[in-house]
Amino acid sequence: MAAVSNGECTATANNNALTFTSYQNYGNLQVLPEQFGIEVYAAGVLIAENDWREVASAVVNGLITAEYLGISSSNVDALYNNPNTNAAIKRFFGQQPGFFTGLNVPPNFMYSVIKTVGNYGEIFSRNLGPYGIQRGYNNLFNNGGHLIPIAWQ
């Protein structure tokens, strides 16, 4: 990628998010809309860190589930404090047994996560939206993407 920034080559192929965020200061860089492939990215955790892996996985899946359930940073307090919120959302928030059991975290930890950073869609929009990156495959399945919330017990 250094060759692009040094003017030694005129084209390169890369992940759109990486291209946008790494080369945003190069005024003559044009990112083409065509997609040449599908690369899957995921958080990596050391094998010996089982507890951390479980929590990291729960957070990623929780962010996707929150978006699917319609929970966002702007309505998280209202949903959390409403006694009439549906059972799935109450389980998600740890107010009823169900989601995220067996983790060494407070039952309502996803409430804090969503309140702090928002759901998956909010994070995507905030960090990649300014670069014009479309959600595409990083959208929920019911919006044409590949993200499917986990069916929690």
PDB file of all heavy atoms in Angstrom, residues 101-129:
ATOM      1  N   THR A 101     -26.464 -15.807  29.695  1.00  0.00           N
ATOM      2  CA  THR A 101     -26.251 -16.533  30.943  1.00  0.00           C
ATOM      3  C   THR A 101     -24.945 -17.308  30.853  1.00  0.00           C
ATOM      4  O   THR A 101     -24.510 -17.714  29.783  1.00  0.00           O
ATOM      5  CB  THR A 101     -27.421 -17.486  31.244  1.00  0.00           C
ATOM      6  OG1 THR A 101     -27.579 -18.377  30.136  1.00  0.00           O
ATOM      7  CG2 THR A 101     -28.710 -16.725  31.479  1.00  0.00           C
ATOM      8  N   GLY A 102     -24.313 -17.495  31.968  1.00  0.00           N
ATOM      9  CA  GLY A 102     -23.067 -18.243  32.013  1.00  0.00           C
ATOM     10  C   GLY A 102     -21.828 -17.401  31.801  1.00  0.00           C
ATOM     11  O   GLY A 102     -20.713 -17.898  31.917  1.00  0.00           O
ATOM     12  N   LEU A 103     -21.994 -16.115  31.488  1.00  0.00           N
ATOM     13  CA  LEU A 103     -20.843 -15.230  31.335  1.00  0.00           C
ATOM     14  C   LEU A 103     -20.542 -14.590  32.681  1.00  0.00           C
ATOM     15  O   LEU A 103     -21.438 -14.374  33.494  1.00  0.00           O
ATOM     16  CB  LEU A 103     -21.137 -14.132  30.309  1.00  0.00           C
ATOM     17  CG  LEU A 103     -21.451 -14.589  28.895  1.00  0.00           C
ATOM     18  CD1 LEU A 103     -21.826 -13.392  28.034  1.00  0.00           C
ATOM     19  CD2 LEU A 103     -20.266 -15.307  28.286  1.00  0.00           C
ATOM     20  N   ASN A 104     -19.318 -14.263  32.910  1.00  0.00           N
ATOM     21  CA  ASN A 104     -18.930 -13.607  34.151  1.00  0.00           C
ATOM     22  C   ASN A 104     -19.063 -12.091  33.998  1.00  0.00           C
ATOM     23  O   ASN A 104     -18.099 -11.353  34.122  1.00  0.00           O
ATOM     24  CB  ASN A 104     -17.502 -14.004  34.527  1.00  0.00           C
ATOM     25  CG  ASN A 104     -17.149 -13.572  35.924  1.00  0.00           C
ATOM     26  OD1 ASN A 104     -18.023 -13.292  36.743  1.00  0.00           O
ATOM     27  ND2 ASN A 104     -15.857 -13.502  36.200  1.00  0.00           N
ATOM     28  N   VAL A 105     -20.283 -11.651  33.681  1.00  0.00           N
ATOM     29  CA  VAL A 105     -20.591 -10.224  33.507  1.00  0.00           C
ATOM     30  C   VAL A 105     -21.915  -9.941  34.199  1.00  0.00           C
ATOM     31  O   VAL A 105     -22.713 -10.850  34.425  1.00  0.00           O
ATOM     32  CB  VAL A 105     -20.684  -9.841  32.006  1.00  0.00           C
ATOM     33  CG1 VAL A 105     -19.348 -10.011  31.317  1.00  0.00           C
ATOM     34  CG2 VAL A 105     -21.758 -10.645  31.304  1.00  0.00           C
ATOM     35  N   PRO A 106     -22.186  -8.679  34.530  1.00  0.00           N
ATOM     36  CA  PRO A 106     -23.489  -8.357  35.110  1.00  0.00           C
ATOM     37  C   PRO A 106     -24.602  -8.703  34.123  1.00  0.00           C
ATOM     38  O   PRO A 106     -24.411  -8.607  32.907  1.00  0.00           O
ATOM     39  CB  PRO A 106     -23.433  -6.840  35.334  1.00  0.00           C
ATOM     40  CG  PRO A 106     -21.992  -6.486  35.288  1.00  0.00           C
ATOM     41  CD  PRO A 106     -21.315  -7.509  34.428  1.00  0.00           C
ATOM     42  N   PRO A 107     -25.770  -9.108  34.612  1.00  0.00           N
ATOM     43  CA  PRO A 107     -26.855  -9.512  33.707  1.00  0.00           C
ATOM     44  C   PRO A 107     -27.268  -8.417  32.721  1.00  0.00           C
ATOM     45  O   PRO A 107     -27.692  -8.709  31.617  1.00  0.00           O
ATOM     46  CB  PRO A 107     -28.015  -9.847  34.647  1.00  0.00           C
ATOM     47  CG  PRO A 107     -27.421  -9.999  35.989  1.00  0.00           C
ATOM     48  CD  PRO A 107     -26.131  -9.248  36.009  1.00  0.00           C
ATOM     49  N   ASN A 108     -27.105  -7.157  33.101  1.00  0.00           N
ATOM     50  CA  ASN A 108     -27.536  -6.056  32.237  1.00  0.00           C
ATOM     51  C   ASN A 108     -26.369  -5.424  31.475  1.00  0.00           C
ATOM     52  O   ASN A 108     -26.468  -4.288  31.043  1.00  0.00           O
ATOM     53  CB  ASN A 108     -28.260  -5.004  33.061  1.00  0.00           C
ATOM     54  CG  ASN A 108     -27.343  -4.285  34.029  1.00  0.00           C
ATOM     55  OD1 ASN A 108     -26.254  -4.766  34.338  1.00  0.00           O
ATOM     56  ND2 ASN A 108     -27.772  -3.143  34.505  1.00  0.00           N
ATOM     57  N   PHE A 109     -25.282  -6.169  31.269  1.00  0.00           N
ATOM     58  CA  PHE A 109     -24.106  -5.569  30.644  1.00  0.00           C
ATOM     59  C   PHE A 109     -24.380  -5.059  29.234  1.00  0.00           C
ATOM     60  O   PHE A 109     -23.794  -4.075  28.802  1.00  0.00           O
ATOM     61  CB  PHE A 109     -22.913  -6.541  30.678  1.00  0.00           C
ATOM     62  CG  PHE A 109     -22.807  -7.468  29.501  1.00  0.00           C
ATOM     63  CD1 PHE A 109     -21.880  -7.247  28.509  1.00  0.00           C
ATOM     64  CD2 PHE A 109     -23.639  -8.577  29.399  1.00  0.00           C
ATOM     65  CE1 PHE A 109     -21.767  -8.105  27.430  1.00  0.00           C
ATOM     66  CE2 PHE A 109     -23.529  -9.434  28.332  1.00  0.00           C
ATOM     67  CZ  PHE A 109     -22.599  -9.199  27.335  1.00  0.00           C
ATOM     68  N   MET A 110     -25.288  -5.695  28.484  1.00  0.00           N
ATOM     69  CA  MET A 110     -25.566  -5.207  27.126  1.00  0.00           C
ATOM     70  C   MET A 110     -26.305  -3.873  27.150  1.00  0.00           C
ATOM     71  O   MET A 110     -26.180  -3.093  26.220  1.00  0.00           O
ATOM     72  CB  MET A 110     -26.347  -6.246  26.316  1.00  0.00           C
ATOM     73  CG  MET A 110     -25.478  -7.344  25.730  1.00  0.00           C
ATOM     74  SD  MET A 110     -24.037  -6.814  24.749  1.00  0.00           S
ATOM     75  CE  MET A 110     -24.777  -5.897  23.428  1.00  0.00           C
ATOM     76  N   TYR A 111     -27.036  -3.596  28.203  1.00  0.00           N
ATOM     77  CA  TYR A 111     -27.635  -2.265  28.348  1.00  0.00           C
ATOM     78  C   TYR A 111     -26.522  -1.223  28.324  1.00  0.00           C
ATOM     79  O   TYR A 111     -26.604  -0.230  27.602  1.00  0.00           O
ATOM     80  CB  TYR A 111     -28.445  -2.173  29.647  1.00  0.00           C
ATOM     81  CG  TYR A 111     -28.739  -0.755  30.055  1.00  0.00           C
ATOM     82  CD1 TYR A 111     -29.780  -0.041  29.465  1.00  0.00           C
ATOM     83  CD2 TYR A 111     -27.967  -0.118  31.017  1.00  0.00           C
ATOM     84  CE1 TYR A 111     -30.035   1.268  29.828  1.00  0.00           C
ATOM     85  CE2 TYR A 111     -28.214   1.191  31.380  1.00  0.00           C
ATOM     86  CZ  TYR A 111     -29.244   1.882  30.790  1.00  0.00           C
ATOM     87  OH  TYR A 111     -29.493   3.186  31.138  1.00  0.00           O
ATOM     88  N   SER A 112     -25.463  -1.457  29.108  1.00  0.00           N
ATOM     89  CA  SER A 112     -24.343  -0.513  29.161  1.00  0.00           C
ATOM     90  C   SER A 112     -23.627  -0.403  27.823  1.00  0.00           C
ATOM     91  O   SER A 112     -23.232   0.688  27.411  1.00  0.00           O
ATOM     92  CB  SER A 112     -23.343  -0.939  30.241  1.00  0.00           C
ATOM     93  OG  SER A 112     -23.965  -0.952  31.498  1.00  0.00           O
ATOM     94  N   VAL A 113     -23.464  -1.537  27.135  1.00  0.00           N
ATOM     95  CA  VAL A 113     -22.795  -1.531  25.828  1.00  0.00           C
ATOM     96  C   VAL A 113     -23.595  -0.689  24.837  1.00  0.00           C
ATOM     97  O   VAL A 113     -23.046   0.198  24.173  1.00  0.00           O
ATOM     98  CB  VAL A 113     -22.601  -2.973  25.295  1.00  0.00           C
ATOM     99  CG1 VAL A 113     -22.130  -2.961  23.842  1.00  0.00           C
ATOM    100  CG2 VAL A 113     -21.627  -3.746  26.169  1.00  0.00           C
ATOM    101  N   ILE A 114     -24.897  -0.945  24.733  1.00  0.00           N
ATOM    102  CA  ILE A 114     -25.727  -0.222  23.764  1.00  0.00           C
ATOM    103  C   ILE A 114     -25.809   1.248  24.128  1.00  0.00           C
ATOM    104  O   ILE A 114     -25.756   2.125  23.258  1.00  0.00           O
ATOM    105  CB  ILE A 114     -27.142  -0.844  23.658  1.00  0.00           C
ATOM    106  CG1 ILE A 114     -27.049  -2.316  23.256  1.00  0.00           C
ATOM    107  CG2 ILE A 114     -28.011  -0.061  22.678  1.00  0.00           C
ATOM    108  CD1 ILE A 114     -26.332  -2.595  21.956  1.00  0.00           C
ATOM    109  N   LYS A 115     -25.936   1.565  25.390  1.00  0.00           N
ATOM    110  CA  LYS A 115     -26.001   2.963  25.828  1.00  0.00           C
ATOM    111  C   LYS A 115     -24.715   3.698  25.466  1.00  0.00           C
ATOM    112  O   LYS A 115     -24.738   4.854  25.070  1.00  0.00           O
ATOM    113  CB  LYS A 115     -26.253   3.039  27.326  1.00  0.00           C
ATOM    114  CG  LYS A 115     -26.442   4.464  27.826  1.00  0.00           C
ATOM    115  CD  LYS A 115     -27.013   4.477  29.212  1.00  0.00           C
ATOM    116  CE  LYS A 115     -27.191   5.873  29.740  1.00  0.00           C
ATOM    117  NZ  LYS A 115     -28.152   6.669  29.002  1.00  0.00           N
ATOM    118  N   THR A 116     -23.588   3.005  25.560  1.00  0.00           N
ATOM    119  CA  THR A 116     -22.291   3.629  25.316  1.00  0.00           C
ATOM    120  C   THR A 116     -21.951   3.746  23.830  1.00  0.00           C
ATOM    121  O   THR A 116     -21.520   4.807  23.374  1.00  0.00           O
ATOM    122  CB  THR A 116     -21.180   2.837  26.039  1.00  0.00           C
ATOM    123  OG1 THR A 116     -21.509   2.758  27.427  1.00  0.00           O
ATOM    124  CG2 THR A 116     -19.828   3.499  25.870  1.00  0.00           C
ATOM    125  N   VAL A 117     -22.143   2.665  23.059  1.00  0.00           N
ATOM    126  CA  VAL A 117     -21.676   2.671  21.663  1.00  0.00           C
ATOM    127  C   VAL A 117     -22.789   2.482  20.632  1.00  0.00           C
ATOM    128  O   VAL A 117     -22.549   2.629  19.438  1.00  0.00           O
ATOM    129  CB  VAL A 117     -20.580   1.611  21.417  1.00  0.00           C
ATOM    130  CG1 VAL A 117     -19.359   1.890  22.274  1.00  0.00           C
ATOM    131  CG2 VAL A 117     -21.106   0.203  21.652  1.00  0.00           C
ATOM    132  N   GLY A 118     -24.000   2.133  21.075  1.00  0.00           N
ATOM    133  CA  GLY A 118     -25.090   1.886  20.128  1.00  0.00           C
ATOM    134  C   GLY A 118     -25.091   0.452  19.643  1.00  0.00           C
ATOM    135  O   GLY A 118     -24.304  -0.379  20.092  1.00  0.00           O
ATOM    136  N   ASN A 119     -25.995   0.155  18.723  1.00  0.00           N
ATOM    137  CA  ASN A 119     -26.083  -1.190  18.154  1.00  0.00           C
ATOM    138  C   ASN A 119     -25.125  -1.318  16.967  1.00  0.00           C
ATOM    139  O   ASN A 119     -24.405  -0.377  16.631  1.00  0.00           O
ATOM    140  CB  ASN A 119     -27.533  -1.541  17.780  1.00  0.00           C
ATOM    141  CG  ASN A 119     -28.097  -0.644  16.702  1.00  0.00           C
ATOM    142  OD1 ASN A 119     -27.405  -0.222  15.774  1.00  0.00           O
ATOM    143  ND2 ASN A 119     -29.377  -0.336  16.801  1.00  0.00           N
ATOM    144  N   TYR A 120     -25.127  -2.476  16.321  1.00  0.00           N
ATOM    145  CA  TYR A 120     -24.196  -2.725  15.207  1.00  0.00           C
ATOM    146  C   TYR A 120     -24.346  -1.676  14.104  1.00  0.00           C
ATOM    147  O   TYR A 120     -23.361  -1.136  13.604  1.00  0.00           O
ATOM    148  CB  TYR A 120     -24.424  -4.132  14.641  1.00  0.00           C
ATOM    149  CG  TYR A 120     -23.403  -4.525  13.608  1.00  0.00           C
ATOM    150  CD1 TYR A 120     -22.275  -5.237  13.972  1.00  0.00           C
ATOM    151  CD2 TYR A 120     -23.561  -4.181  12.267  1.00  0.00           C
ATOM    152  CE1 TYR A 120     -21.321  -5.595  13.022  1.00  0.00           C
ATOM    153  CE2 TYR A 120     -22.617  -4.533  11.320  1.00  0.00           C
ATOM    154  CZ  TYR A 120     -21.491  -5.237  11.702  1.00  0.00           C
ATOM    155  OH  TYR A 120     -20.558  -5.572  10.766  1.00  0.00           O
ATOM    156  N   GLY A 121     -25.574  -1.395  13.729  1.00  0.00           N
ATOM    157  CA  GLY A 121     -25.819  -0.421  12.665  1.00  0.00           C
ATOM    158  C   GLY A 121     -25.327   0.971  13.023  1.00  0.00           C
ATOM    159  O   GLY A 121     -24.774   1.682  12.172  1.00  0.00           O
ATOM    160  N   GLU A 122     -25.527   1.370  14.269  1.00  0.00           N
ATOM    161  CA  GLU A 122     -25.053   2.691  14.702  1.00  0.00           C
ATOM    162  C   GLU A 122     -23.532   2.772  14.646  1.00  0.00           C
ATOM    163  O   GLU A 122     -22.973   3.783  14.215  1.00  0.00           O
ATOM    164  CB  GLU A 122     -25.533   2.978  16.122  1.00  0.00           C
ATOM    165  CG  GLU A 122     -27.022   3.225  16.232  1.00  0.00           C
ATOM    166  CD  GLU A 122     -27.446   3.450  17.664  1.00  0.00           C
ATOM    167  OE1 GLU A 122     -27.465   2.459  18.434  1.00  0.00           O
ATOM    168  OE2 GLU A 122     -27.745   4.613  18.002  1.00  0.00           O
ATOM    169  N   ILE A 123     -22.870   1.713  15.085  1.00  0.00           N
ATOM    170  CA  ILE A 123     -21.405   1.697  15.058  1.00  0.00           C
ATOM    171  C   ILE A 123     -20.903   1.761  13.619  1.00  0.00           C
ATOM    172  O   ILE A 123     -19.983   2.515  13.297  1.00  0.00           O
ATOM    173  CB  ILE A 123     -20.859   0.449  15.782  1.00  0.00           C
ATOM    174  CG1 ILE A 123     -21.203   0.521  17.270  1.00  0.00           C
ATOM    175  CG2 ILE A 123     -19.361   0.298  15.568  1.00  0.00           C
ATOM    176  CD1 ILE A 123     -20.945  -0.775  18.022  1.00  0.00           C
ATOM    177  N   PHE A 124     -21.521   0.974  12.739  1.00  0.00           N
ATOM    178  CA  PHE A 124     -21.130   0.975  11.335  1.00  0.00           C
ATOM    179  C   PHE A 124     -21.317   2.373  10.735  1.00  0.00           C
ATOM    180  O   PHE A 124     -20.411   2.909  10.101  1.00  0.00           O
ATOM    181  CB  PHE A 124     -21.957  -0.049  10.553  1.00  0.00           C
ATOM    182  CG  PHE A 124     -21.464  -0.288   9.158  1.00  0.00           C
ATOM    183  CD1 PHE A 124     -20.670  -1.380   8.870  1.00  0.00           C
ATOM    184  CD2 PHE A 124     -21.785   0.583   8.119  1.00  0.00           C
ATOM    185  CE1 PHE A 124     -20.197  -1.606   7.577  1.00  0.00           C
ATOM    186  CE2 PHE A 124     -21.325   0.374   6.837  1.00  0.00           C
ATOM    187  CZ  PHE A 124     -20.526  -0.724   6.567  1.00  0.00           C
ATOM    188  N   SER A 125     -22.485   2.944  10.943  1.00  0.00           N
ATOM    189  CA  SER A 125     -22.778   4.272  10.374  1.00  0.00           C
ATOM    190  C   SER A 125     -21.827   5.341  10.895  1.00  0.00           C
ATOM    191  O   SER A 125     -21.370   6.193  10.137  1.00  0.00           O
ATOM    192  CB  SER A 125     -24.218   4.673  10.691  1.00  0.00           C
ATOM    193  OG  SER A 125     -25.111   3.809  10.057  1.00  0.00           O
ATOM    194  N   ARG A 126     -21.543   5.301  12.167  1.00  0.00           N
ATOM    195  CA  ARG A 126     -20.681   6.314  12.774  1.00  0.00           C
ATOM    196  C   ARG A 126     -19.239   6.207  12.271  1.00  0.00           C
ATOM    197  O   ARG A 126     -18.580   7.211  12.035  1.00  0.00           O
ATOM    198  CB  ARG A 126     -20.734   6.177  14.296  1.00  0.00           C
ATOM    199  CG  ARG A 126     -19.927   7.210  15.049  1.00  0.00           C
ATOM    200  CD  ARG A 126     -20.105   7.127  16.559  1.00  0.00           C
ATOM    201  NE  ARG A 126     -19.801   5.820  17.110  1.00  0.00           N
ATOM    202  CZ  ARG A 126     -20.717   4.970  17.606  1.00  0.00           C
ATOM    203  NH1 ARG A 126     -21.994   5.278  17.593  1.00  0.00           N
ATOM    204  NH2 ARG A 126     -20.349   3.803  18.098  1.00  0.00           N
ATOM    205  N   ASN A 127     -18.749   4.981  12.105  1.00  0.00           N
ATOM    206  CA  ASN A 127     -17.344   4.797  11.765  1.00  0.00           C
ATOM    207  C   ASN A 127     -17.056   4.667  10.275  1.00  0.00           C
ATOM    208  O   ASN A 127     -15.978   5.049   9.824  1.00  0.00           O
ATOM    209  CB  ASN A 127     -16.789   3.572  12.506  1.00  0.00           C
ATOM    210  CG  ASN A 127     -16.708   3.824  13.995  1.00  0.00           C
ATOM    211  OD1 ASN A 127     -15.852   4.556  14.451  1.00  0.00           O
ATOM    212  ND2 ASN A 127     -17.626   3.257  14.741  1.00  0.00           N
ATOM    213  N   LEU A 128     -17.987   4.123   9.513  1.00  0.00           N
ATOM    214  CA  LEU A 128     -17.743   3.914   8.082  1.00  0.00           C
ATOM    215  C   LEU A 128     -18.662   4.742   7.191  1.00  0.00           C
ATOM    216  O   LEU A 128     -18.334   4.996   6.035  1.00  0.00           O
ATOM    217  CB  LEU A 128     -17.876   2.426   7.746  1.00  0.00           C
ATOM    218  CG  LEU A 128     -16.884   1.525   8.483  1.00  0.00           C
ATOM    219  CD1 LEU A 128     -17.174   0.063   8.212  1.00  0.00           C
ATOM    220  CD2 LEU A 128     -15.452   1.875   8.138  1.00  0.00           C
ATOM    221  N   GLY A 129     -19.779   5.164   7.720  1.00  0.00           N
ATOM    222  CA  GLY A 129     -20.701   5.993   6.953  1.00  0.00           C
ATOM    223  C   GLY A 129     -20.092   7.280   6.411  1.00  0.00           C
ATOM    224  O   GLY A 129     -20.342   7.642   5.265  1.00  0.00           O
TER     225      GLY A 129
END
